[in-house]
Amino acid sequence: SYAPSEIFSDEFIYAFRSGEHPLYSAASKNSLYKGWRPKGQVFLHSGKTDRIVPHYHSLDAKAGLEGADVTLYEYPGDHYSPVIDVLLTSLRDFDALRAD
């Protein structure tokens, strides 16, 4: 089931929603969207017509990591068509990191 009410007890849902459950505190501390910044470089690859991972998700990810060292590579095509370009670019980027 995807319905929380069918998976979790009413007590758990209440405690989680009210912020009283330890899992809520742990999840809040591990947020990847509230002020989190990666320590290393981030390389994003996105096909502009990708329907599996829509391109706007990559744009949102880059914008959400403002201030971090993020490179977004945009490719014509879908999820699979740029696979060789993604591989070659990744190898180049990782080789450059190793040289630093």
Side-chain angles (χ1 to χ4, degrees):
S1 173
Y2 293 100
S5 63
E6 294 177 11
I7 300 171
F8 303 108
S9 69
D10 290 339
E11 293 82 13
F12 174 84
I13 292 172
Y14 175 80
F16 191 83
R17 284 186 175 165
S18 66
E20 297 173 9
H21 195 279
L23 185 59
Y24 182 87
S25 176
S28 296
K29 290 176 185 174
N30 288 296
S31 171
L32 294 180
Y33 68 93
K34 291 183 180 177
W36 178 80
R37 293 291 171 261
K39 293 181 181 178
Q41 286 182 269
V42 175
F43 302 102
L44 303 171
H45 298 265
S46 180
K48 288 188 174 185
T49 60
D50 193 336
R51 287 191 275 177
I52 295 173
V53 181
H55 183 61
Y56 65 84
H57 285 306
S58 297
L59 298 173
D60 289 348
K62 185 176 189 310
L65 294 171
E66 184 178 330
D69 189 357
V70 180
T71 302
L72 171 60
Y73 295 104
E74 300 172 293
Y75 303 96
D78 60 16
H79 192 77
Y80 303 103
S81 57
V83 68
I84 299 299
D85 290 331
V86 169
L87 177 63
L88 294 174
T89 302
S90 297
L91 289 172
R92 184 194 69 221
D93 287 338
F94 292 146
D95 281 344
L97 289 173
R98 188 172 34 188
D100 289 344

